[in-house]
Amino acid sequence: MYTKNFEYDNEKLSDYGMIVCSFDGSGGMETVSCGSDITFSQGKAGGANRFLLYSAAYDNAYSAVFHICKDPALIQKNSDMYLSAAEISALQKWLCQKQYRKFKSDQDDFRHLYWNAVFSAKQVNFNGAVIGMELTLYTDAPFCYMDEILIEKECQKDTPFEIYDSSDEEGYLFPDLSVTFLENGRDIAGPDGTIKYKKAFSLTNTQDRHSCIIQNCSANEVITVNGRTQTISSSVPGHSLGADFNFFFPKIINSHRNNKNIFSCNIDCRLTLSYSPIKKIGL
C-alpha cells in the first residue's frame, strides 16, 4: 500500500496524526492481490490429455494487512512516537466498527475507488510501549468499486439512449433507479396481439432478454428501485407493486467485447440511474 493516508467512514488517518508505515523493514518490490483471485475447477476424461474448465469462482473477499504509526513530521521528540491509551482508544473506536464503511486510499490513481470494509487491529509494541498498530482490512467483495456514476435523462417515448459500463468484471450490475412518469402508462400487447400489461411503463435494454415492466402507472408518479437490495417503491400509496411489477430489475450488462447498453422507455419520463462499476485493483 504505497500511500501515507487513507479515508474511512468520512474521516482520514491524518486527522489522528497518523500515517501508513512498515515496521518490518520491507520495501521495494512485492506481490499483492489485485482483486481478481479466481479459483478454477478443472478436470479431464479418462485417457484424455486436455483439461476442461468446469467452473470459475471467487472463494474469498479481498483483504489486506498494513501498519500505522504517528506521523514523524509532527513529533518533537522520540518519546512522542508512542501511542497513549486515549489515542489507542480513539483509533479503535474509529476503525474497529461492526458494519461495512467506505474505505479509500489517498493515492493519485486510487482516489476515485473505494472498498466496503471493516477492520481488525493489533497493537505493535516496542520497548514495552505501543508504537503503532497492525490493521487487517476485510471487504465485502473480491474487488473494489469506482465512485458512483450518476446518469440523469429526459427520456422520450421509444427514443434510445446509451450507457457504457466500465466495470472490469464481466456480467451485470443492478443499478439504483428513480423514474418520474411524465404521462400515464400505455397498454402493452403480448405476442398474440391481446393486451398483456395495462397502463404500463417499460424499460428495455437491448442486451437483456427481459424488460422491466410496471403496470397502472400514472403521470407524476415516482418509482424508486434499490438495485442492491432488489426492492421497489412508489410515491403513490395505493399502487400495488406486488401485483403490477414483473420483478425483472433493470441491469447494466458488460462483456469482454461489448460494454454498450442501449435503453429505451415506452413513455415520456425523467430517469435517474446510478451505479458503481467494479474494478479489479489491489492496495
Side-chain angles (χ1 to χ4, degrees):
M1 183 172 174
Y2 297 100
T3 183
K4 291 183 178 181
N5 201 12
F6 63 78
E7 180 182 303
Y8 184 64
D9 193 21
N10 297 314
E11 294 185 77
K12 291 187 175 182
L13 183 64
S14 57
D15 295 339
Y16 291 80
M18 306 285 288
I19 61 170
V20 177
C21 66
S22 176
F23 289 119
D24 58 10
S26 65
M29 187 179 298
E30 62 177 325
T31 301
V32 300
S33 170
C34 60
S36 55
D37 296 334
I38 303 174
T39 300
F40 298 100
S41 177
Q42 296 175 284
K44 68 182 182 71
N49 292 320
R50 293 187 64 189
F51 286 78
L52 301 176
L53 182 61
Y54 291 112
S55 67
Y58 296 104
D59 287 341
N60 298 290
Y62 181 80
S63 64
V65 179
F66 51 92
H67 299 96
I68 59 173
C69 69
K70 284 190 175 181
D71 186 350
L74 304 177
I75 299 303
Q76 300 296 322
K77 55 184 184 295
N78 288 341
S79 61
D80 291 338
M81 286 295 295
Y82 297 112
L83 291 169
S84 68
E87 290 169 327
I88 295 170
S89 178
L91 287 166
Q92 294 273 37
K93 184 176 182 179
W94 170 46
L95 294 172
C96 299
Q97 302 188 45
K98 294 182 180 179
Q99 294 181 346
Y100 288 120
R101 306 296 184 189
K102 187 175 289 188
F103 170 88
K104 304 187 79 170
S105 175
D106 191 23
Q107 295 170 259
D108 288 342
D109 292 340
F110 285 67
R111 292 193 178 104
H112 64 295
L113 304 175
Y114 71 92
W115 288 257
N116 294 316
V118 291
F119 281 102
S120 67
K122 296 179 180 179
Q123 297 178 179
V124 178
N125 293 347
F126 181 72
N127 289 336
V130 179
I131 197 171
M133 303 180 75
E134 179 183 274
L135 304 179
T136 302
L137 177 84
Y138 299 95
T139 73
D140 69 341
F143 33 68
C144 65
Y145 306 92
M146 281 184 64
D147 285 338
E148 183 179 79
I149 293 175
L150 181 66
I151 298 169
E152 297 179 322
K153 304 288 292 187
E154 290 279 348
C155 300
Q156 295 182 332
K157 175 181 179 292
D158 299 330
T159 301
F161 61 93
E162 298 175 355
I163 294 176
Y164 291 84
D165 180 17
S166 57
S167 292
D168 295 341
E169 177 76 355
E170 291 186 297
Y172 55 84
L173 299 170
F174 290 108
D176 292 337
L177 184 70
S178 175
V179 186
T180 301
F181 304 130
L182 303 180
E183 59 177 318
N184 293 333
R186 298 172 182 262
D187 293 345
I188 300 175
D192 60 357
T194 61
I195 300 302
K196 186 175 182 180
Y197 301 102
K198 296 181 179 180
K199 292 182 60 180
F201 161 77
S202 172
L203 177 63
T204 300
N205 181 353
T206 57
Q207 284 215 53
D208 199 354
R209 292 183 302 152
H210 304 289
S211 297
C212 170
I213 299 176
I214 304 168
Q215 294 190 98
N216 297 313
C217 299
S218 55
N220 299 315
E221 180 180 4
V222 180
I223 294 290
T224 304
V225 175
N226 187 309
R228 183 179 61 84
T229 60
Q230 300 284 274
T231 54
I232 184 171
S233 62
S234 169
S235 63
V236 176
H239 195 163
S240 178
L241 292 173
D244 287 342
F245 179 42
N246 69 345
F247 287 93
F248 287 113
F249 289 88
K251 297 176 184 175
I252 296 177
I253 300 173
N254 173 34
S255 66
H256 176 58
R257 301 189 185 278
N258 183 15
N259 69 343
K260 182 168 72 172
N261 294 257
I262 303 175
F263 286 92
S264 61
C265 304
N266 72 324
I267 62 174
D268 293 349
C269 62
R270 187 178 301 112
L271 183 147
T272 300
L273 182 148
S274 60
Y275 70 104
S276 294
I278 290 169
K279 289 296 174 182
K280 297 180 180 179
I281 297 174
L283 292 170

